[in-house]
Amino acid sequence: MFHNNMVYKGYRLTASVSRIASGNVRRPAFTATVAVELAGDRDRFGEPHAVPLFDAGGFVATPGMAVDAAITHGRLMVDAHSQAE
């Protein structure tokens, strides 16, 4: 079992995975989005953000890989926001 969320630098990152049809390929294909919110903000859900890999039409072979890509993108977003301040 993989975890679809983590807390990073005070922000909760939550990946939402989707299984997609990948044309003529007979293997499973997955994409994901990531929601970023303050970790203490339990009453609100963060807006989903597109992951560039998947937004460009890419996909991965497992749900775990989709979660990893989404969480990594969320961490980059938090880091970029932290540097901007």
Side-chain angles (χ1 to χ4, degrees), residues 15-21 28-33 54 59-60 62-63 66-67:
S16 296
V17 177
S18 299
R19 185 174 182 156
I20 63 166
F30 299 90
T31 64
T33 58
F54 305 130
F59 57 88
V60 293
T62 68
V67 168

Side-chain angles (χ1 to χ4, degrees), residues 22-77:
S22 60
N24 294 333
V25 180
R26 293 183 182 238
R27 65 177 189 218
F30 299 90
T31 64
T33 58
V34 63
V36 179
E37 62 189 349
L38 288 173
D41 225 355
R42 297 188 186 268
D43 295 335
R44 293 184 51 209
F45 293 106
E47 294 292 320
H49 297 275
V51 176
L53 167 67
F54 305 130
D55 206 30
F59 57 88
V60 293
T62 68
M65 291 171 69
V67 168
D68 287 344
I71 295 296
T72 298
H73 178 63
R75 291 175 68 159
L76 292 172
M77 290 174 58

Side-chain angles (χ1 to χ4, degrees), residues 2-3 5 9 18 25 48 51 54 61 66 68-69 74 80-82 85:
F2 54 89
H3 297 281
N5 64 74
K9 294 185 179 179
S18 299
V25 180
V51 176
F54 305 130
D68 287 344
H81 179 72
S82 297
E85 292 181 350

